[in-house]
Every structure is written in C-alpha cells, then in structure tokens.
Amino acid sequence: MRQEFGSVLRSTGLQVTAQRLAVMRAVSNTPHITAEAVTEAVREELGTISRQSVYDALGILVDKGIIRRIQPAGSPARYEDRVGDNHHHLICRSCERLVDIDCAVGEMPCLHPADDHGFSLDEAEVIYWGTCPDCTAVPAT
Amino acid sequence: MRQEFGSVLRSTGLQVTAQRLAVMRAVSNTPHITAEAVTEAVREELGTISRQSVYDALGILVDKGIIRRIQPAGSPARYEDRVGDNHHHLICRSCERLVDIDCAVGEMPCLHPADDHGFSLDEAEVIYWGTCPDCTAVPAT
DNA sequence: GTCCAGAATTGGACATAGTCCATTTCGGTC
DNA sequence: GACCGAAATGGACTATGTCCAATTCTGGAC
C-alpha cells in the first residue's frame, strides 16, 4: 500500500496529487467509508482539504474504476476499494451496519433477468436487507 | 381502484383522509413516481397539500407495506404500489429510466448469500444497471 | 532552473431531498 | 354537535451534494 497508489493514478492518466493519495489511503483503510469521513481522515493527514476536492477525487476514482461507490437507501454514499470481484452488500435495517458478501458467481453481471427489455446490462447490484445479530438480540433500543 | 384504498387504510388501523387517498391514487397511477410528482398530482386533485403531508403519507404507507419505496443511487426516492411480488428493477445509467423486472423466484428473499454473517434476512434487493435501447442508439446526447 | 499549458484544487453560492417541531385542523365516535 | 387523538400544516433546519469562476499546482519542454 506504499507508492502503489501513485502508480495506479499514473496508469489511468491522472496526475498524482497529495490529496488524491490521501483520499485513496482513507478509502483503503476504512471499508465503506463516507465522503465526510474521508474528508476528516484527509484533513488529519494533510491538515486541510476542501470538500470539493474530496468529492472530486472520489468522483474521479470512481470514474476510473479505482474505487466503488455504494449508495444504500437512507445512508450517505460510501466508498470502498474492493473492486473487480463484484461482491455484494448486506445491511442491517436497524443499525445500518454494512457487511461485504462475496458473490457466488464472481463476474459481472452475476445475475440475468428473464426479460432485459432490450437493455444492455453491465451490473447486477444486490443488497441484502435484514437485521444483524446485535440488533436481533436487542430489538428496540 | 375505487374505495378499495379506503378499506386498505382502515384495515391497517389508519385514518382515511383525502390526502392519503390522493397520495395512494398518485402512486397507483404513476409507477415509480417521485415524492415531488406525488405532491404535484395531489395538488392537482385537492388544490393543496403540504410537502410534509406527502412525505408523512408516503412514509406511513411504506411502513404499513401498502407501497414500496425504491431509492436508486443518484435519483430521488421513488414509490410504487406493486408490493408483495418481490420484483426487481432495471435502470438505465444514461437516462435514469426505470423498468420493472419480474423476479424468477417470486418470494422473499429470493436470493441467499453464501454467508449471512448471522443476519436474519428479509429481502434481497436487486438493481440491474445498464443502458436502455434508446440510449444505446444515441450514445452521447 | 524556468516557463507554460492544462489539470487539479479551492471557496462560495446554490440545489436537492428530506426531517423536525409547534400549532392547527380534521375524522370518527359518542 | 362536541370531543379527542390522529393527521396535516408551514416554516425553519439539516444533510449531501453540485456548479462555477478564480487560483494554484504538476509535469514536461526548453
């Protein structure tokens, strides 16, 4: 996780900047991190960064496929650097905990609808909703 | 689609109000309607309704399982009255068009992850992302 | 080492989607 | 027709982003 980040950026034709490296580190260190948490983490590392730069960096990284954006209902967008393995997510309705779930198929799209209405599909996003063990134990907090 | 709406409300212990009936009608008439469009439709019917009442009515109807809320990434929440058949959705990345897809299984949850991390699952939400025929024909607009 | 062009960053205003709360009104019952 | 609790209202507020113009930085050429 050293200067690999730099080469990744360069290999996609992006400039290597301290802000982008810090954003990549934040996403890499904290799975399912939110934009706000990224901002905090980068500020800790660099002292300052504008909200704009964070969104911009995250947006570009997502565009380039370096990180993945997840936008579950009722929660701000989250980012993760586990890309390419097409895994899915499991979310607790009660505490919003988000857990990775491996995809049994492993390639995209891993599911095919009976009728695709002429669309050309590139991804099947699966979110499992349920209640996590902790929240099951303590139903109403 | 007559006074059925009224009985549905009563059967869940809710009061029957003009606002709620109008909201239900709006959702029923326009598949995948947004909160904003519901507000417009209800205003056309009743003359006036507060944004609050729309959100409140939609929220209660979702709570009671009378309608279903869909919150795809990058789009405001949408509502539909097709509940109970556990169908999925297909969205065009380019024009945001949203289409229903029947679930091959039909019962919830229709998918089971290899490892559920101790969660008790109640739903597997599937969103297929792709490009619709129109947008494929006209790539960049 | 200096300079340049384009890329990246910044900050401020703005947009969108939705929530909170105190008050008023309404639906259903007696 | 009066009453009570549920529902609706309106206004302020919050969270999460986006847009834009101006500035700064990066990497390469000289």
Side-chain angles (χ1 to χ4, degrees), chain B residues 64-129:
Chain B
K64 297 296 182 184
I66 298 169
I67 63 177
R68 180 170 165 204
R69 177 191 281 131
I70 323 161
Q71 292 175 262
S75 151
R78 289 152 183 283
Y79 299 87
E80 64 182 359
D81 68 345
R82 245 187 97 177
V83 292
D85 66 347
N86 196 39
H87 66 281
H88 304 306
H89 296 100
L90 171 49
I91 307 178
C92 173
R93 287 191 195 275
S94 169
C95 68
E96 294 287 310
R97 193 141 69 91
L98 198 161
V99 174
D100 283 337
I101 293 283
D102 289 323
C103 178
V105 177
E107 60 191 28
M108 300 196 222
C110 58
L111 288 171
H112 301 275
D115 175 5
D116 66 5
H117 289 253
F119 281 53
S120 74
L121 301 178
D122 56 67
E123 183 186 350
E125 178 184 1
V126 181
I127 299 182
Y128 297 96
W129 293 93

Coordinates of all heavy atoms in Angstrom, one line a residue, chain B residues 64-129:
Chain B
K64 N -46.5 0.6 6.5 CA -47.6 -0.4 6.5 C -47.5 -1.4 5.4 O -48.3 -2.4 5.3 CB -48.9 0.3 6.5 CG -49.2 1.2 7.6 CD -49.3 0.5 8.9 CE -49.6 1.5 10.1 NZ -49.6 0.8 11.4
G65 N -46.5 -1.2 4.5 CA -46.3 -2.2 3.5 C -47.4 -2.0 2.3 O -47.5 -2.9 1.5
I66 N -48.0 -0.9 2.3 CA -49.0 -0.7 1.3 C -48.4 -0.2 0.0 O -48.8 -0.6 -1.1 CB -50.0 0.4 1.7 CG1 -50.8 -0.1 3.0 CG2 -51.0 0.8 0.6 CD1 -51.6 0.9 3.7
I67 N -47.3 0.5 0.1 CA -46.5 0.8 -1.1 C -45.0 0.5 -0.8 O -44.7 0.3 0.4 CB -46.6 2.3 -1.5 CG1 -46.1 3.3 -0.4 CG2 -48.1 2.6 -1.8 CD1 -46.2 4.7 -0.8
R68 N -44.2 0.6 -1.8 CA -42.8 0.3 -1.7 C -42.0 1.5 -2.1 O -42.3 2.1 -3.1 CB -42.5 -0.9 -2.5 CG -41.1 -1.4 -2.5 CD -41.0 -2.7 -3.2 NE -39.6 -3.1 -3.5 CZ -39.2 -3.9 -4.4 NH1 -40.1 -4.5 -5.2 NH2 -38.0 -4.2 -4.7
R69 N -40.9 1.7 -1.3 CA -40.0 2.8 -1.7 C -38.8 2.2 -2.3 O -38.2 1.2 -1.8 CB -39.6 3.5 -0.4 CG -38.6 4.7 -0.6 CD -38.1 5.2 0.7 NE -39.0 6.1 1.4 CZ -39.4 6.0 2.6 NH1 -38.9 5.1 3.4 NH2 -40.2 6.9 3.2
I70 N -38.4 2.9 -3.4 CA -37.1 2.5 -4.1 C -36.2 3.7 -4.1 O -36.6 4.8 -4.4 CB -37.4 2.1 -5.6 CG1 -38.7 1.4 -5.7 CG2 -36.2 1.3 -6.1 CD1 -39.2 1.4 -7.1
Q71 N -35.0 3.5 -3.7 CA -34.1 4.6 -3.6 C -32.8 4.3 -4.4 O -31.8 4.0 -3.8 CB -33.7 4.9 -2.2 CG -34.9 5.5 -1.4 CD -34.6 5.7 0.1 OE1 -34.9 4.8 0.9 NE2 -33.9 6.8 0.4
P72 N -32.9 4.4 -5.7 CA -31.7 4.1 -6.5 C -30.7 5.2 -6.4 O -31.1 6.4 -6.2 CB -32.3 4.0 -8.0 CG -33.6 4.5 -7.9 CD -34.0 4.9 -6.5
A73 N -29.5 4.8 -6.5 CA -28.4 5.8 -6.4 C -28.6 6.9 -7.5 O -28.9 6.6 -8.6 CB -27.0 5.1 -6.7
G74 N -28.3 8.1 -7.0 CA -28.4 9.2 -8.0 C -29.7 9.7 -8.4 O -29.9 10.4 -9.3
S75 N -30.8 9.2 -7.7 CA -32.1 9.6 -8.0 C -32.9 9.8 -6.7 O -32.7 9.1 -5.8 CB -32.7 8.5 -8.9 OG -34.1 8.4 -8.8
P76 N -33.9 10.7 -6.7 CA -34.7 10.8 -5.5 C -35.5 9.5 -5.3 O -35.6 8.7 -6.2 CB -35.6 11.9 -5.9 CG -35.6 12.2 -7.3 CD -34.2 11.6 -7.8
A77 N -36.0 9.3 -4.1 CA -36.8 8.1 -3.8 C -38.0 8.0 -4.7 O -38.6 9.0 -5.1 CB -37.2 8.1 -2.4
R78 N -38.3 6.8 -5.1 CA -39.5 6.5 -5.9 C -40.4 5.6 -5.2 O -40.0 4.8 -4.4 CB -39.1 5.9 -7.2 CG -38.4 7.0 -8.1 CD -37.4 6.3 -9.0 NE -36.7 7.4 -9.8 CZ -37.3 8.0 -10.8 NH1 -38.5 7.7 -11.2 NH2 -36.6 9.0 -11.4
Y79 N -41.7 5.6 -5.6 CA -42.7 4.8 -4.9 C -43.5 4.1 -5.9 O -43.8 4.6 -7.0 CB -43.6 5.7 -4.0 CG -42.8 6.5 -3.0 CD1 -42.2 7.7 -3.3 CD2 -42.7 5.9 -1.7 CE1 -41.5 8.4 -2.3 CE2 -41.9 6.6 -0.7 CZ -41.3 7.8 -1.0 OH -40.6 8.5 -0.1
E80 N -43.9 2.9 -5.5 CA -44.8 2.1 -6.4 C -45.7 1.2 -5.6 O -45.4 0.9 -4.4 CB -43.9 1.2 -7.3 CG -43.1 0.1 -6.4 CD -42.2 -0.7 -7.3 OE1 -42.2 -0.5 -8.5 OE2 -41.5 -1.6 -6.7
D81 N -46.8 0.8 -6.1 CA -47.8 0.1 -5.3 C -47.7 -1.4 -5.7 O -48.6 -2.2 -5.2 CB -49.2 0.7 -5.5 CG -49.7 0.4 -6.9 OD1 -48.9 0.1 -7.8 OD2 -51.0 0.6 -7.1
R82 N -46.8 -1.8 -6.5 CA -46.6 -3.2 -6.8 C -45.8 -3.8 -5.6 O -44.6 -3.8 -5.5 CB -45.8 -3.4 -8.0 CG -46.5 -4.0 -9.2 CD -45.6 -4.3 -10.3 NE -45.1 -5.7 -10.3 CZ -44.3 -6.2 -11.3 NH1 -43.9 -5.5 -12.2 NH2 -43.9 -7.5 -11.2
V83 N -46.5 -4.3 -4.6 CA -45.9 -4.9 -3.5 C -46.2 -6.4 -3.4 O -47.2 -6.8 -4.0 CB -46.3 -4.2 -2.1 CG1 -45.8 -2.8 -2.1 CG2 -47.8 -4.3 -2.0
G84 N -45.4 -7.1 -2.7 CA -45.7 -8.5 -2.4 C -45.2 -9.5 -3.5 O -45.2 -10.7 -3.3
D85 N -44.9 -9.0 -4.7 CA -44.4 -9.9 -5.7 C -42.9 -9.9 -5.8 O -42.3 -10.6 -6.6 CB -45.1 -9.7 -7.0 CG -44.6 -8.3 -7.6 OD1 -44.0 -7.5 -6.8 OD2 -44.9 -8.1 -8.8
N86 N -42.3 -9.1 -5.0 CA -40.8 -9.1 -4.9 C -40.1 -9.0 -6.3 O -39.2 -9.7 -6.6 CB -40.3 -10.4 -4.2 CG -38.9 -10.3 -3.8 OD1 -38.4 -9.2 -3.3 ND2 -38.1 -11.4 -3.9
H87 N -40.6 -8.1 -7.1 CA -39.9 -7.9 -8.4 C -38.7 -7.0 -8.2 O -38.6 -6.3 -7.2 CB -40.9 -7.3 -9.4 CG -41.4 -5.9 -9.1 ND1 -42.3 -5.6 -8.1 CD2 -41.0 -4.7 -9.6 CE1 -42.5 -4.3 -8.1 NE2 -41.7 -3.8 -8.9
H88 N -37.9 -6.9 -9.2 CA -36.7 -6.0 -9.1 C -36.8 -4.9 -10.2 O -37.8 -4.7 -10.8 CB -35.5 -6.9 -9.3 CG -35.5 -8.1 -8.4 ND1 -35.6 -7.9 -7.0 CD2 -35.4 -9.4 -8.5 CE1 -35.5 -9.0 -6.4 NE2 -35.5 -10.0 -7.3
H89 N -35.6 -4.2 -10.3 CA -35.6 -3.1 -11.2 C -34.4 -3.0 -12.0 O -33.3 -3.5 -11.7 CB -35.8 -1.8 -10.3 CG -37.1 -1.7 -9.6 ND1 -37.2 -2.0 -8.3 CD2 -38.3 -1.4 -10.1 CE1 -38.5 -1.9 -8.0 NE2 -39.2 -1.6 -9.0
L90 N -34.6 -2.4 -13.2 CA -33.6 -2.2 -14.2 C -33.5 -0.8 -14.5 O -34.5 -0.1 -14.8 CB -34.1 -3.0 -15.4 CG -33.4 -3.0 -16.7 CD1 -31.9 -3.1 -16.5 CD2 -33.9 -4.0 -17.7
I91 N -32.3 -0.2 -14.4 CA -32.2 1.2 -14.5 C -31.2 1.6 -15.6 O -30.1 1.0 -15.6 CB -31.8 1.9 -13.2 CG1 -32.7 1.5 -12.1 CG2 -31.8 3.4 -13.4 CD1 -32.4 2.1 -10.7
C92 N -31.5 2.5 -16.5 CA -30.6 3.0 -17.5 C -29.6 4.0 -16.9 O -30.1 5.0 -16.3 CB -31.3 3.6 -18.6 SG -30.2 4.3 -19.9
R93 N -28.3 3.7 -17.0 CA -27.4 4.7 -16.4 C -27.4 6.0 -17.1 O -27.0 7.0 -16.5 CB -25.9 4.1 -16.6 CG -25.6 2.9 -15.7 CD -24.1 2.6 -15.7 NE -23.8 1.3 -15.1 CZ -23.6 1.1 -13.8 NH1 -23.8 2.1 -13.0 NH2 -23.4 -0.1 -13.4
S94 N -27.8 6.0 -18.3 CA -27.8 7.3 -19.1 C -29.0 8.1 -18.9 O -28.9 9.3 -18.6 CB -27.6 6.9 -20.5 OG -27.7 8.0 -21.4
C95 N -30.2 7.6 -19.0 CA -31.4 8.4 -18.9 C -32.2 8.1 -17.7 O -33.3 8.7 -17.5 CB -32.3 8.2 -20.1 SG -33.0 6.6 -20.3
E96 N -31.7 7.3 -16.8 CA -32.4 7.0 -15.5 C -33.7 6.3 -15.6 O -34.5 6.2 -14.7 CB -32.6 8.3 -14.8 CG -31.3 9.0 -14.3 CD -30.7 8.3 -13.2 OE1 -31.3 8.1 -12.2 OE2 -29.5 8.0 -13.2
R97 N -34.0 5.8 -16.8 CA -35.3 5.1 -17.0 C -35.3 3.9 -16.1 O -34.3 3.2 -15.9 CB -35.4 4.7 -18.4 CG -36.8 4.2 -18.8 CD -37.3 4.7 -20.1 NE -36.5 4.0 -21.2 CZ -36.9 2.9 -21.8 NH1 -38.1 2.3 -21.4 NH2 -36.3 2.4 -22.8
L98 N -36.4 3.7 -15.5 CA -36.6 2.6 -14.5 C -37.7 1.6 -15.0 O -38.8 2.0 -15.2 CB -36.9 3.2 -13.1 CG -36.7 2.3 -11.9 CD1 -36.7 3.2 -10.7 CD2 -37.8 1.3 -11.7
V99 N -37.3 0.4 -15.1 CA -38.2 -0.6 -15.6 C -38.4 -1.8 -14.6 O -37.4 -2.1 -13.9 CB -37.7 -1.2 -16.9 CG1 -38.6 -2.3 -17.4 CG2 -37.6 -0.1 -18.0
D100 N -39.6 -2.3 -14.5 CA -39.8 -3.5 -13.6 C -39.3 -4.7 -14.2 O -39.4 -4.9 -15.4 CB -41.3 -3.6 -13.3 CG -41.8 -2.6 -12.3 OD1 -41.0 -2.1 -11.5 OD2 -43.0 -2.4 -12.3
I101 N -38.7 -5.6 -13.4 CA -38.2 -6.9 -13.8 C -38.9 -7.9 -12.9 O -38.7 -7.8 -11.6 CB -36.7 -7.0 -13.6 CG1 -36.0 -6.0 -14.6 CG2 -36.2 -8.4 -13.9 CD1 -35.9 -6.5 -16.0
D102 N -39.5 -8.9 -13.4 CA -40.1 -9.9 -12.6 C -39.0 -10.7 -12.0 O -38.0 -11.0 -12.6 CB -41.0 -10.8 -13.4 CG -42.3 -10.0 -13.8 OD1 -42.8 -9.2 -12.9 OD2 -42.8 -10.2 -14.9
C103 N -39.3 -11.1 -10.7 CA -38.3 -12.0 -10.0 C -38.6 -13.4 -10.4 O -39.8 -13.8 -10.4 CB -38.4 -11.8 -8.5 SG -37.3 -12.9 -7.6
A104 N -37.6 -14.1 -10.8 CA -37.8 -15.5 -11.2 C -38.3 -16.4 -10.0 O -39.1 -17.3 -10.2 CB -36.5 -16.1 -11.7
V105 N -37.9 -16.0 -8.8 CA -38.3 -16.8 -7.7 C -39.7 -16.4 -7.1 O -40.6 -17.2 -6.9 CB -37.3 -16.7 -6.5 CG1 -37.7 -17.5 -5.3 CG2 -35.9 -17.2 -7.0
G106 N -39.8 -15.1 -6.9 CA -41.2 -14.6 -6.6 C -41.4 -14.5 -5.1 O -42.4 -13.9 -4.7
E107 N -40.6 -15.1 -4.3 CA -40.8 -14.9 -2.8 C -39.6 -14.3 -2.2 O -38.5 -14.4 -2.7 CB -41.1 -16.3 -2.2 CG -40.0 -17.3 -2.4 CD -40.4 -18.7 -2.0 OE1 -41.7 -19.0 -2.2 OE2 -39.6 -19.5 -1.6
M108 N -39.8 -13.7 -1.1 CA -38.7 -13.0 -0.4 C -38.1 -13.9 0.7 O -38.8 -14.5 1.4 CB -39.2 -11.7 0.2 CG -39.8 -10.8 -0.7 SD -39.9 -9.2 0.0 CE -41.5 -8.7 -0.5
P109 N -36.8 -13.7 0.9 CA -35.9 -13.1 0.0 C -35.6 -14.1 -1.1 O -35.5 -15.3 -0.8 CB -34.6 -12.8 0.8 CG -34.7 -13.8 1.9 CD -36.2 -14.2 2.2
C110 N -35.4 -13.6 -2.3 CA -35.3 -14.6 -3.5 C -33.9 -15.1 -3.6 O -33.6 -16.0 -4.4 CB -35.8 -13.9 -4.7 SG -34.9 -12.4 -5.2
L111 N -32.9 -14.4 -2.9 CA -31.6 -14.9 -3.1 C -31.0 -15.1 -1.7 O -31.5 -14.6 -0.7 CB -30.7 -13.7 -3.7 CG -30.9 -13.5 -5.1 CD1 -30.1 -12.2 -5.5 CD2 -30.4 -14.6 -6.0
H112 N -30.0 -16.0 -1.6 CA -29.4 -16.3 -0.3 C -27.9 -16.2 -0.5 O -27.4 -16.9 -1.3 CB -29.9 -17.6 0.2 CG -31.3 -17.7 0.4 ND1 -32.0 -17.3 1.5 CD2 -32.3 -18.1 -0.5 CE1 -33.3 -17.5 1.3 NE2 -33.5 -18.0 0.1
P113 N -27.3 -15.4 0.3 CA -25.8 -15.3 0.2 C -25.2 -16.5 0.8 O -25.8 -17.2 1.6 CB -25.5 -14.1 1.1 CG -26.6 -14.0 2.1 CD -27.8 -14.5 1.4
A114 N -24.0 -16.8 0.4 CA -23.2 -17.9 0.9 C -23.1 -17.8 2.4 O -23.3 -18.8 3.2 CB -21.9 -18.0 0.3
D115 N -22.8 -16.6 2.9 CA -22.5 -16.4 4.3 C -23.4 -15.2 4.8 O -23.1 -14.1 4.3 CB -21.0 -16.2 4.6 CG -20.7 -15.8 6.0 OD1 -21.7 -15.9 6.8 OD2 -19.6 -15.5 6.3
D116 N -24.3 -15.4 5.7 CA -25.2 -14.3 6.0 C -24.7 -13.6 7.3 O -25.4 -12.7 7.8 CB -26.6 -14.8 6.2 CG -26.8 -15.7 7.4 OD1 -25.8 -15.9 8.1 OD2 -27.9 -16.3 7.6
H117 N -23.5 -13.9 7.8 CA -22.9 -13.2 8.9 C -23.9 -13.1 10.1 O -23.8 -12.2 10.9 CB -22.5 -11.8 8.5 CG -21.3 -11.7 7.6 ND1 -20.1 -11.3 7.9 CD2 -21.2 -12.1 6.3 CE1 -19.3 -11.4 6.9 NE2 -19.9 -11.9 5.9
G118 N -24.7 -14.1 10.2 CA -25.6 -14.1 11.4 C -26.8 -13.2 11.2 O -27.7 -13.1 12.1
F119 N -26.9 -12.5 10.1 CA -28.1 -11.6 9.9 C -29.3 -12.5 9.7 O -29.3 -13.6 9.1 CB -27.9 -10.7 8.7 CG -27.0 -9.6 8.9 CD1 -25.7 -9.7 9.5 CD2 -27.4 -8.3 8.6 CE1 -24.9 -8.6 9.7 CE2 -26.5 -7.2 8.8 CZ -25.3 -7.4 9.3
S120 N -30.5 -11.9 10.1 CA -31.7 -12.6 9.6 C -32.2 -11.7 8.4 O -32.6 -10.6 8.6 CB -32.7 -12.7 10.7 OG -33.3 -11.4 11.0
L121 N -32.2 -12.3 7.3 CA -32.5 -11.5 6.1 C -34.0 -11.5 5.8 O -34.7 -12.5 6.0 CB -31.8 -12.2 4.9 CG -30.3 -12.3 5.0 CD1 -29.7 -13.0 3.8 CD2 -29.7 -10.9 5.1
D122 N -34.5 -10.4 5.3 CA -35.9 -10.4 4.9 C -36.1 -10.0 3.4 O -37.1 -10.1 2.9 CB -36.7 -9.5 5.8 CG -36.1 -8.0 5.8 OD1 -36.2 -7.4 4.8 OD2 -35.6 -7.6 6.9
E123 N -35.0 -9.4 2.8 CA -35.2 -9.0 1.4 C -33.8 -9.0 0.7 O -32.8 -8.6 1.3 CB -35.8 -7.6 1.4 CG -36.1 -7.1 0.0 CD -36.6 -5.7 -0.1 OE1 -36.9 -5.1 1.0 OE2 -36.6 -5.1 -1.2
A124 N -33.9 -9.4 -0.6 CA -32.7 -9.2 -1.4 C -33.1 -8.2 -2.5 O -34.0 -8.5 -3.3 CB -32.3 -10.5 -2.0
E125 N -32.6 -7.1 -2.4 CA -32.9 -6.0 -3.4 C -31.9 -6.1 -4.6 O -30.7 -6.1 -4.4 CB -32.8 -4.7 -2.7 CG -33.1 -3.5 -3.6 CD -32.8 -2.2 -2.9 OE1 -32.4 -2.2 -1.7 OE2 -33.1 -1.1 -3.5
V126 N -32.5 -6.2 -5.7 CA -31.6 -6.4 -6.9 C -31.9 -5.2 -7.9 O -33.0 -4.9 -8.2 CB -31.9 -7.7 -7.6 CG1 -31.0 -7.8 -8.9 CG2 -31.7 -8.9 -6.7
I127 N -30.8 -4.5 -8.2 CA -31.0 -3.5 -9.2 C -30.0 -3.8 -10.4 O -28.8 -3.9 -10.2 CB -30.6 -2.1 -8.7 CG1 -31.6 -1.7 -7.5 CG2 -30.7 -1.0 -9.8 CD1 -31.4 -0.4 -6.9
Y128 N -30.6 -3.9 -11.5 CA -29.8 -4.2 -12.7 C -29.4 -2.8 -13.3 O -30.3 -2.0 -13.6 CB -30.5 -5.0 -13.7 CG -30.9 -6.4 -13.3 CD1 -32.1 -6.7 -12.7 CD2 -29.9 -7.4 -13.4 CE1 -32.4 -7.9 -12.3 CE2 -30.3 -8.7 -12.9 CZ -31.5 -9.0 -12.4 OH -31.8 -10.2 -11.9
W129 N -28.2 -2.6 -13.6 CA -27.7 -1.3 -14.2 C -27.3 -1.6 -15.6 O -26.6 -2.6 -15.9 CB -26.6 -0.7 -13.4 CG -26.9 -0.3 -12.1 CD1 -26.8 -1.0 -10.9 CD2 -27.5 1.0 -11.7 NE1 -27.3 -0.2 -9.9 CE2 -27.7 1.0 -10.3 CE3 -27.8 2.2 -12.4 CZ2 -28.2 2.1 -9.6 CZ3 -28.3 3.3 -11.8 CH2 -28.5 3.2 -10.4

